[in-house]
């Protein structure tokens, strides 16, 4: 009778890395659907491009690093998908491919691979593309609702995002359009309702911890409400919640386990600081990239937050 | 704390059975925390049932008694499910079993005499830690709260549960004895909510006030793991936190497992030493799970040879204790100890697990009942940076396994922590 000897516990939870990543992909299905619905087949191709490139890059690097070919864990697929969802629908294929390679190679493996990266790979890749192709990354098209659009048609229907409209021409987009997603913006950032459905799924299934999204959103609500009361020409709470990458950032980027604090207290601090930074950039900043920069900045502060919020051990 | 699958059905409803006739008994001299007992018999000696065969050696130690009359056939190293291998007395039972008669004049026994009886009966904590009971009862500090541990939070195991359902009056008589010794202000009977039949009976006995227990109450706790851990139990019932390096008695608390209370009852009322205990045998590899009263020292192999328990399929793993903290065994040649609550026979798991990369998802941190940082220990232990481990309080770890259970990368965190503890400087 050959018996297996191992250290306790002999009972493990069914949740593994692959399960976590798959659930994130499942949570993003409504967002993917919304992006294809509003921006056509081109959105689907962009998503496919980013995901395939990310997985291929992961495979090549794991091979070069002589590591187990663990692409089935799904982490590269998630990174690729998240990157696609924060790009404008008109992003050229080569830029998207470069971004995906950057996300996996520089964003993840330079730091040591899965779980060792400091910055959210999708966000850092977007920041890179922002520097490389500033015009492409800030040109958004209006939602179109038919499947296939010829490339030359894209430029004719370009439109500023609600945040830009608000900032530079004091134009307020109706809240219902924001909520449903009938606005211009990055692929996955437009439909608030779809992001909320997917995000709630992750929180209910306990795939993502609720502390960061909750504290981030509550902070944004409080600051924008105060801002609105002080000066009614400011946008209201719902506008701030539903516009830009706020919900996608709060629910899918700021909950990335590797780049956010390991302590519960630290997660509240992370969320509150992120929310506050977003509002500061939105009120006083020059670019509408508040969510991306705030999360990246807080990613950099995560080790510090961890150090100062370490639990004291039971009873000590 | 975490929620784990209980796996306690159907054995929690099974009446306990008795198995009292082993062909050989293997009695390790170290069945408790502290110094091993010192053997006081020779090979060839004929021993009466309940006769002392090894003496208490030092303050934290315990007596060992013969579970059956018979001949000492060997004294040598033998398998020990906790220590791997240790010196043991091997006994071949012969003759008839002893009758235990009720002791006279129990009401008049003094506190000192009661402690003496308990010590002489070789009673140790039967919840798993096996700390000599008399040492806990000789508290140098006043105890205001006595907590009776009926939680049994490990999946599969149902011995404490069955004991509470079948022998609750005796357990209460045992608690009465403890109360006479330590005179607490409150007695809290802690049970997890998944044992509703036991809870009903406990409430009934507390309300009838037949027993002279001061301010006794039931604390029904949620079925979390490790609810039955001493520090967690004290916190759940009294909101007091026992700091690392301190003992429950520093906070005026004392915790005793229900099986220990039952053993105290038998020792005081019938002069019967701790020579048998209730053990759960469960797991998917068995034809049927069972709760059996077995003599201490009975070998697992013999239970199978005599077809008391049978395999349905070949097990992949045999575990002494529960699945969360138990140790895996390499064969059936292991005896039942005073602290053994059960044996598990597990069939093949769904898939082979390989250690993945840490995601820093902190699920281990969230799960840790001791508010520690398992992922940091793993990182440092792997790199060999043992100096740092003590500053992160690694020695406070109770090795409950919540972290490794929750880890999505399936990193054997407890294994790394055990290794880390061995090398971490013990200055604190």
């Amino acid at each position: 009778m050959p018996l297996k000897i191992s250290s306790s516990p002999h009972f493990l939870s069914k949740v593994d890395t692959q399960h976590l990543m798959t659930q994130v992909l499942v949570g993003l299905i409504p967002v993917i659907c919304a992006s294809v619905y509003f921006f056509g087949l081109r959105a689907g191709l962009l998503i496919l491009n980013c995901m395939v490139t990310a997985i291929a890059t992961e495979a090549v690097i794991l091979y070069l690093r002589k590591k187990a070919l663990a692409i089935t864990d799904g982490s590269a697929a998630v990174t690729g998908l998240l990157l696609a969802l924060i790009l404008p629908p008109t992003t050229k294929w080569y830029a998207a491919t470069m971004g995906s390679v950057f996300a996996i190679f520089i964003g993840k493996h330079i730091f040591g691979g899965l779980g060792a990266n400091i910055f959210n790979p999708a966000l850092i890749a977007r920041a890179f593309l922002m520097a490389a192709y500033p015009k492409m990354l800030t040109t958004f098209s209006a939602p179109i609702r038919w499947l296939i659009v010829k490339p030359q048609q894209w430029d004719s229907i370009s439109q500023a995002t609600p945040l830009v409209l608000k900032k530079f021409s004091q134009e307020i987009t109706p809240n219902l359009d924001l909520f449903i997603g009938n606005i211009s913006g990055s692929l996955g950032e437009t439909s608030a309702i779809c992001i909320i459905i997917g995000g709630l799924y992750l929180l209910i299934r306990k795939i993502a911890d609720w502390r960061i999204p909750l504290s981030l959103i509550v902070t944004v609500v409080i600051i924008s409400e105060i801002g609105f009361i002080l000066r009614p020409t400011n946008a209201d709470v719902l506008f701030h919640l539903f516009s830009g990458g706020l919900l996608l950032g709060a629910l899918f980027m700021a909950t990335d386990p590797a780049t956010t604090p390991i302590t519960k207290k630290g997660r509240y601090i992370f969320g509150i600081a992120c929310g506050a930074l977003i509002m500061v950039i939105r009120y006083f900043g020059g670019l509408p990239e508040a969510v991306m920069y705030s999360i990246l900045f807080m990613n950099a502060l995560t080790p510090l937050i961890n150090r100062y919020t370490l639990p004291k051990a039971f009873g000590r | 704390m975490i929620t784990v699958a209980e796996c306690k059905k159907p054995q929690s409803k099974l009446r306990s059975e008795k198995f009292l006739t082993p062909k050989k008994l293997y009695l390790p001299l170290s069945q408790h925390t502290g110094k091993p007992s010192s053997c006081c018999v020779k090979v060839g000696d004929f021993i009466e049932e309940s006769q002392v065969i090894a003496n208490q050696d030092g303050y934290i130690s315990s007596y060992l008694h013969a579970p059956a009359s018979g001949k000492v056939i060997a004294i040598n190293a033998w398998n020990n499910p906790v220590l791997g291998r240790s010196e043991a007395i091997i006994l071949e039972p012969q003759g008839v079993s002893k009758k235990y008669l009720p002791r006279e004049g129990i009401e008049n026994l003094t506190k000192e005499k009661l402690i003496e009886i308990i010590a002489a009966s070789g009673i140790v904590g039967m919840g798993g830690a096996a700390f000599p009971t008399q040492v806990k009862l000789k508290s140098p500090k006043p105890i205001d709260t006595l907590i009776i541990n009926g939680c049994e939070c490990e999946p599969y195991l149902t011995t404490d549960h069955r004991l509470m359902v079948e022998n609750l009056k005796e357990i209460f008589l045992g608690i009465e004895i403890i109360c006479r010794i330590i005179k607490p202000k409150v007695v809290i009977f802690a049970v997890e909510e998944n044992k509703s039949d036991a809870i009903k009976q406990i409430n009934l006995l507390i309300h009838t006030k037949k027993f002279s227990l001061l301010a006794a109450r039931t604390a029904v706790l949620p079925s979390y793991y490790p609810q039955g851990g001493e520090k967690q139990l004290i916190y759940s019932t009294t909101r007091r936190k026992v700091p690392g390096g301190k003992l429950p008695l520093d906070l005026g608390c004392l915790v005793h497992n229900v099986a220990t209370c039952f053993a105290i009852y038998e020792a005081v009322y019938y002069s019967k030493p701790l020579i048998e205990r209730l053990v759960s045998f469960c797991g998917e590899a068995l034809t049927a799970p069972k709760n059996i009263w077995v003599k201490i020292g009975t070998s697992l192999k013999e239970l199978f040879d005599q077809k008391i328990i049978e395999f349905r399929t070949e097990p992949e793993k045999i575990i002494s204790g529960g699945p969360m903290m138990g140790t895996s065994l390499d064969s059936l040649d292991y005896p039942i100890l005073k602290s053994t609550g059960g044996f598990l026979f597990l069939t093949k798991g769904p898939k082979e697990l390989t250690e993945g990369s840490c995601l820093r998802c902190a699920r281990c941190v969230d799960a840790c009942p001791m508010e520690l940082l398992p992922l940091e220990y793993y990182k440092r232990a792997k790199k060999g940076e043992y100096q740092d481990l003590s500053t992160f309080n690694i020695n406070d770890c109770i090795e409950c396994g919540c972290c490794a259970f929750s880890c999505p990368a399936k990193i054997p965190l407890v294994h790394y922590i055990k290794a880390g503890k061995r090398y971490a400087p013990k200055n604190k």
Side-chain angles (χ1 to χ4, degrees):
Chain A
M1 191 162 50
L3 290 171
K4 219 164 98 184
I5 301 296
S6 67
S7 173
S8 62
H10 308 282
F11 217 41
L12 297 175
S13 137
K14 287 191 181 70
V15 176
D16 60 6
T17 307
Q18 191 183 8
H19 173 86
L20 287 181
M21 297 298 170
T22 317
Q23 291 302 305
V24 175
L25 294 177
V26 170
L28 285 168
I29 287 174
V31 185
I32 298 171
C33 294
S35 68
V36 175
Y37 176 73
F38 286 115
F39 300 109
L41 206 58
R42 188 172 174 146
L45 290 175
L46 194 62
I47 291 171
L48 207 64
N49 176 350
C50 286
M51 286 179 78
V52 170
T53 317
I55 294 168
T57 313
E58 172 96 349
V60 169
I61 297 175
L62 285 176
Y63 175 76
L64 293 177
R65 290 182 67 196
K66 297 189 174 60
K67 294 224 168 187
L69 212 57
I71 43 167
T72 48
D73 69 13
S75 62
V78 168
T79 300
L81 177 58
L82 283 176
L83 174 64
L85 293 177
I86 52 176
L87 293 176
T90 46
T91 309
K92 299 278 188 298
W93 69 267
Y94 54 86
T97 306
M98 272 176 69
S100 272
V101 173
F102 188 93
I104 300 293
F105 182 45
I106 308 288
K108 185 175 172 186
H109 282 281
I110 287 282
F111 294 98
L114 186 62
N117 48 312
I118 297 170
F119 296 105
N120 183 310
L123 286 176
I124 199 83
R126 194 189 193 281
F128 158 73
L129 289 177
M130 207 37 206
Y133 304 101
K135 187 152 177 293
M136 194 196 296
L137 270 278
T138 47
T139 310
F140 294 90
S141 64
I144 40 148
R145 238 162 288 131
W146 56 89
L147 218 49
I148 298 159
V149 190
K150 292 195 187 82
Q152 58 268 32
Q153 281 177 283
W154 279 96
D155 301 327
S156 58
I157 47 171
S158 76
Q159 186 193 48
T161 63
L163 277 171
V164 173
L165 285 175
K166 172 74 191 72
K167 189 150 199 90
F168 299 109
S169 47
Q170 294 303 315
E171 216 178 291
I172 295 276
T173 313
N175 279 338
L176 189 67
D177 282 350
L178 284 171
F179 189 59
I180 292 173
N182 194 16
I183 48 170
S184 72
S186 299
L187 278 192
E189 291 178 355
T190 59
S191 174
I193 176 75
C194 288
I195 300 169
I196 291 172
I197 291 170
L200 281 181
Y201 173 79
L202 290 194
L203 297 184
I204 290 164
R205 298 288 312 265
K206 296 203 168 123
I207 302 300
D209 188 62
W210 51 271
R211 288 177 180 83
I212 292 175
L214 183 78
S215 53
L216 194 159
I217 289 170
V218 166
T219 309
V220 167
V221 167
I222 292 172
I223 296 179
S224 56
E225 182 61 29
I226 293 171
F228 186 67
I229 292 168
L230 289 180
R231 196 193 293 170
T233 52
N234 278 337
D236 64 359
V237 175
L238 288 178
F239 179 85
H240 276 293
L241 275 189
F242 297 153
S243 65
L246 191 104
L247 287 175
L248 193 73
L251 289 162
F252 290 92
M253 305 283 180
T255 50
D256 170 26
T259 58
T260 53
I262 57 168
T263 63
K264 289 174 190 157
K265 217 194 290 171
R267 283 177 227 154
Y268 289 116
I269 295 173
F270 186 97
I272 292 169
C274 254
L277 270 175
I278 290 170
M279 292 315 292
V280 167
I281 299 176
R282 281 191 177 179
Y283 280 144
F284 309 109
L287 280 169
E289 309 293 331
V291 176
M292 178 182 92
Y293 287 123
S294 303
I295 295 176
L296 284 175
F297 182 71
M298 291 314 294
N299 285 165
L301 290 189
T302 292
L304 198 69
I305 298 175
N306 278 338
R307 188 181 310 163
Y308 287 103
T309 56
L310 290 181
K312 278 181 106 164
F314 188 84
R316 278 196 191 258
Chain B
M1 289 202 262
I2 55 172
T3 312
V4 292
E6 286 171 14
C7 309
K8 288 182 192 278
K9 279 176 191 163
Q11 61 269 30
S12 65
K13 298 274 173 240
L14 295 177
R15 253 203 101 71
S16 61
E17 301 165 28
K18 276 195 186 268
F19 172 71
L20 299 170
T21 50
K23 290 201 182 82
K24 264 181 195 167
L25 288 165
Y26 304 89
L27 297 149
L29 294 173
S30 187
Q31 305 201 24
H32 51 265
T33 322
K35 243 179 130 183
S37 328
S38 64
C39 179
C40 58
V41 290
K42 296 186 304 295
V43 175
D45 284 2
F46 190 85
I47 311 291
E48 294 280 339
E49 178 174 332
S50 85
Q51 184 185 329
V52 173
I53 52 173
N55 283 313
Q56 181 181 337
D57 186 10
Y59 186 65
I60 302 180
S61 187
S62 190
Y63 285 99
L64 184 62
H65 303 78
S69 307
K71 216 167 106 184
V72 176
I73 55 167
I75 299 169
N76 56 358
W78 192 256
N79 291 343
N80 179 319
V82 174
L83 301 169
R85 227 167 151 75
S86 71
E87 200 69 6
I89 299 171
I90 299 165
L91 205 67
E92 202 172 61
Q94 286 164 12
V96 286
S97 57
K98 191 178 159 180
K99 283 249 178 333
Y100 293 92
L101 300 172
R103 189 196 295 267
E104 305 268 315
I106 294 162
E107 320 73 63
N108 305 326
L109 293 172
T110 59
K111 177 184 158 177
E112 287 71 29
K113 182 70 192 158
L114 287 169
I115 295 181
E116 201 188 304
I117 293 170
I118 291 166
S121 304
I123 299 175
V124 301
M126 290 165 81
F131 195 79
T133 301
Q134 79 277 4
V135 183
K136 270 175 136 181
L137 293 173
K138 278 188 229 163
S139 167
K141 292 182 184 172
I143 303 288
D144 57 48
T145 311
L146 171 66
I147 301 164
I148 303 303
N149 189 353
C151 280
E152 198 167 40
C153 54
E154 277 266 11
Y156 290 98
L157 307 188
T158 52
T159 58
D160 289 352
H161 187 176
R162 284 319 300 173
L163 202 63
M164 285 190 282
V165 172
E166 295 173 24
N167 299 86
L168 196 60
K169 282 196 185 111
E170 291 81 359
I171 293 173
F172 268 76
L173 288 169
I175 300 173
E176 242 180 28
I177 303 285
I178 300 174
C179 287
R180 275 169 63 184
I181 298 171
I182 59 159
K183 303 194 170 57
K185 291 197 185 78
V186 203
V187 179
I188 302 173
F189 204 126
V191 210
E192 279 186 314
E193 62 192 356
N194 58 359
K195 303 172 184 70
S196 52
D197 45 354
I199 295 168
K200 241 181 256 164
Q201 291 190 40
I202 294 163
N203 283 333
L204 203 72
L205 282 193
I206 286 181
H207 291 309
T208 52
K209 305 218 184 273
K210 259 200 329 215
F211 302 92
S212 48
L213 304 179
L214 282 156
R217 67 179 174 88
T218 323
V220 179
L221 303 172
S223 314
Y224 290 138
Y225 176 84
Q227 191 66 267
E230 192 169 63
K231 289 185 178 187
Q232 282 67 41
L233 193 65
I234 292 173
Y235 181 69
S236 300
T237 50
T238 66
R239 296 288 135 188
R240 293 178 207 173
K241 286 186 173 182
V242 183
K246 294 258 182 191
L247 294 169
L249 61 92
D250 293 317
L251 301 174
C253 291
L254 186 67
V255 181
H256 278 293
N257 175 272
V258 286
T260 316
C261 297
F262 182 79
I264 290 174
Y265 155 81
E266 289 205 309
V268 173
Y269 280 77
Y270 287 94
S271 314
K272 185 177 173 185
L274 180 52
I275 54 168
E276 57 179 322
R277 72 159 295 154
L278 191 56
V279 182
S280 289
F281 297 88
C282 21
E284 294 75 31
L286 295 184
T287 47
K290 277 182 182 174
N291 298 304
I292 315 177
W293 281 96
V294 285
K295 299 222 156 172
I296 309 281
T298 307
S299 139
L300 211 46
K301 192 165 179 292
E302 198 167 328
L303 290 167
F304 280 98
D305 288 348
Q306 298 202 25
K307 299 206 186 312
I308 306 296
I309 38 176
E310 283 172 275
F311 284 131
R312 188 176 54 191
T313 48
E314 204 164 86
E316 189 196 51
K317 240 188 205 180
I318 298 180
I319 295 154
S320 156
M324 295 301 288
M325 287 187 75
T327 39
S328 52
L329 306 179
D330 55 7
S331 73
L332 288 172
D333 273 320
Y334 281 86
I336 281 138
L337 304 184
K338 291 176 180 178
S339 58
T340 311
F343 284 99
L344 291 186
F345 304 87
L346 301 181
T347 49
K348 218 175 178 63
K351 62 177 169 186
E352 275 300 297
L353 298 166
T354 45
E355 182 180 325
S357 323
C358 170
L359 298 172
R360 292 188 65 78
C361 65
R363 280 170 182 251
C364 53
V365 181
D366 293 351
C368 180
M370 296 304 289
E371 293 161 39
L372 302 171
L373 299 163
L375 83 175
E376 296 289 334
Y377 302 147
Y378 152 73
K379 200 169 83 185
R380 288 177 169 74
K382 215 171 177 180
K383 276 195 237 158
E385 292 169 358
Y386 299 114
Q387 199 60 37
D388 285 357
L389 289 171
S390 335
T391 52
F392 280 107
N393 297 319
I394 193 174
N395 288 312
D396 284 6
C397 171
I398 56 171
E399 298 176 17
C400 65
C402 288
C403 53
F405 175 87
S406 315
C407 178
K410 307 297 168 203
I411 298 167
L413 289 160
V414 178
H415 169 78
Y416 284 106
I417 291 172
K418 280 181 181 165
K421 272 184 176 175
R422 201 170 307 143
Y423 298 110
K426 296 216 172 24
N427 46 1
K428 288 211 292 182

